[in-house]
Amino acid sequence: MQTVDDTAVDLDAEERRDWLRLIRSENIGPITFRQLIAHFGSAAGAIEGVPEIARRGGRSLKLIAVEDAERELVAADEIGARFIATAEPDYPGALAAIEDAPPLLCVMGNSQTLAKKTSVAIVGSRNASVAGRKFAMTLAHGVGEAGYAIVSGLARGIDTAAHEGSLDTGTIAVLAGGLDHIYPHENIPLVQRIVDRGGTVISEMPLGRQARGKDFPRRNRIISGLSVAVVVVEAAQRSGSLITARRAADQGRPVYAVPGSPLDPRAAGSNMLIREGATLVTGADDILVDIAPMRVQEPMNDRGEVPDVEVAPLPSDTDDAARRIVSEALGPSPVSVDEVIRFTGLAPPLVHLVLMELSLAGRVQRHPGQRVSLIG
């Protein structure tokens, strides 16, 4: 039996199937997944116990069928992909160190690029200028030549340029949909080139899933989580690249930005990042000098420490009074779990178990920074 916190070992086929069943089931996100594994000791134990916990939270929860999980495993094999769990040595250490790391990644291509190389993210506008795309490509090539893998989101514009600039040195494309639904479609040949030239394409989403608008912010946390630094080349004021920059800051990763003309709306977001404290970038050396100590220490590429998510043993049960107290303490605005504990005066393990019940029942939403809010 293997938990998310143990020394990395490969899962067997049954364990991998159980992990997939658990994370693919409704209302089970990465943080709840980790708590369930810690509470029950294995994915198989969690699968058996989850329906009762959800019932105590007020709603029934249906786990996906064994056959559905096995079907997805076969579909991954048919496209040359495989699933890597946080418990396994091929899972990237930098990503494993964030609080909401995907328990399973579907990976196509060279997993060594993913697990063994220190990575830098380069992101930016889809509607990028010619100058912005050229700079992103040059930057990706320069940082890649120094031995780093380049991470981006396969989007049009800056992302595409970053991948193309690092094809020969190692590039990682993070998709918002399933690996069998490449978006945008015009980048299907680029995906093949990435795989053929030793790069990696990954997603946490189920095979068969087409990317939806809400999937891109989730994808962005993986881009920043894989990286020791995030570089924004061009970004409008409401760009998804700014979400990646915010997630990087939440994860303790430095943010860099390339300045642009104040007359170009495509540079408004990146210029704002510089005003707010991001490091100004004019070339690869501006980044490489800063991140060199991170690479020497390699603090996250040896799987790192599991983040401070509550995984201590939880009580075996709660009561209606505790559920009522915790529910009444929550609202639509996210608050930290520590604040809920202080406000309610309940024991931390009890609060965490109640939140798990409410999460599984679809009544509580989890947010970055160990914050929660009430749904509906």
Side-chain angles (χ1 to χ4, degrees):
M1 181 269 291
Q2 177 66 37
T3 74
V4 293
D5 299 341
D6 292 339
T7 301
V9 298
D10 290 326
L11 302 184
D12 63 32
E14 187 175 343
E15 287 175 321
R16 196 179 312 280
R17 183 200 65 199
D18 289 341
W19 276 52
L20 188 60
R21 282 190 70 195
L22 193 60
I23 193 58
R24 292 290 187 253
S25 296
E26 62 178 344
N27 301 333
I28 298 178
I31 295 176
T32 300
F33 180 98
R34 175 173 284 148
Q35 292 175 328
L36 287 169
I37 296 288
H39 186 53
F40 288 101
S42 68
I47 287 168
E48 185 176 342
V50 154
E52 172 60 20
I53 292 182
R55 186 197 61 77
R56 296 201 307 251
R59 295 181 189 173
S60 61
L61 182 150
K62 184 178 180 181
L63 292 154
I64 73 162
V66 172
E67 294 77 14
D68 291 335
E70 290 177 342
R71 209 164 11 248
E72 187 173 357
L73 289 166
V74 170
D77 186 63
E78 289 176 346
I79 64 170
R82 65 189 181 98
F83 289 93
I84 299 175
T86 49
E88 297 184 294
D90 280 354
Y91 196 95
L95 186 60
I98 70 172
E99 64 173 341
D100 50 355
L104 284 171
L105 290 174
C106 193
V107 177
M108 190 162 53
N110 184 1
S111 61
Q112 295 301 302
T113 299
L114 184 68
K116 302 302 181 185
K117 295 190 78 171
T118 306
S119 302
V120 173
I122 298 178
V123 296
S125 173
R126 287 175 170 82
N127 183 31
S129 67
V130 172
R133 291 196 295 267
K134 182 178 178 180
F135 186 85
M137 188 177 295
T138 302
L139 190 66
H141 180 76
V143 175
E145 283 284 299
Y148 297 88
I150 299 300
V151 182
S152 201
L154 201 76
R156 300 180 180 96
I158 298 301
D159 289 19
T160 294
H163 290 308
E164 289 177 338
S166 54
L167 279 172
D168 292 328
T169 55
T171 193
I172 301 167
V174 187
L175 273 58
L179 290 189
D180 55 348
H181 283 278
I182 306 300
Y183 180 84
H185 298 300
E186 63 261 33
N187 273 350
I188 291 175
L190 176 58
V191 166
Q192 191 59 55
R193 291 165 65 203
I194 290 172
V195 172
D196 290 344
R197 291 163 79 168
T200 316
V201 184
I202 68 171
S203 176
E204 69 173 328
M205 291 300 179
L207 290 168
R209 171 76 164 265
Q210 295 191 28
R212 302 171 297 180
K214 67 179 182 180
D215 296 327
F216 290 94
R218 290 184 61 181
R219 182 273 314 267
N220 292 348
R221 88 188 193 285
I222 300 176
I223 293 174
S224 57
L226 283 167
S227 310
V228 296
V230 171
V231 186
V232 180
V233 177
E234 284 183 344
Q237 283 188 323
R238 300 187 64 178
S239 168
S241 301
L242 300 186
I243 297 175
T244 308
R246 285 196 296 272
R247 291 310 307 267
D250 291 340
Q251 295 162 355
R253 317 289 161 90
V255 176
Y256 298 79
V258 178
S261 168
L263 300 178
D264 188 347
R266 290 171 294 196
S270 42
N271 288 341
M272 179 189 69
L273 288 174
I274 294 170
R275 289 197 306 273
E276 293 178 349
T279 301
L280 186 149
V281 172
T282 60
D285 286 345
D286 294 336
I287 304 164
L288 295 173
V289 170
D290 280 358
I291 67 176
M294 304 178 200
R295 190 176 181 194
V296 170
Q297 296 169 10
E298 296 282 2
M300 293 181 292
N301 279 42
D302 188 21
R303 295 191 75 252
E305 294 296 323
V306 172
D308 186 19
V309 176
E310 177 62 37
V311 292
L314 301 180
S316 60
D317 199 356
T318 58
D319 55 43
D320 290 340
R323 295 186 198 101
R324 176 181 55 78
I325 291 169
V326 172
S327 296
E328 290 177 351
L330 299 175
S333 299
V335 295
S336 74
V337 175
D338 285 345
E339 288 177 305
V340 176
I341 293 169
R342 286 194 296 269
F343 180 83
T344 61
L346 298 173
L350 182 58
V351 171
H352 282 286
L353 182 55
V354 171
L355 290 175
M356 183 191 293
E357 293 174 350
L358 297 176
S359 295
L360 291 172
R363 297 172 58 191
V364 161
Q365 181 176 357
R366 295 189 180 272
H367 303 270
Q370 298 190 51
R371 297 177 299 148
V372 292
S373 66
L374 205 59
I375 297 174

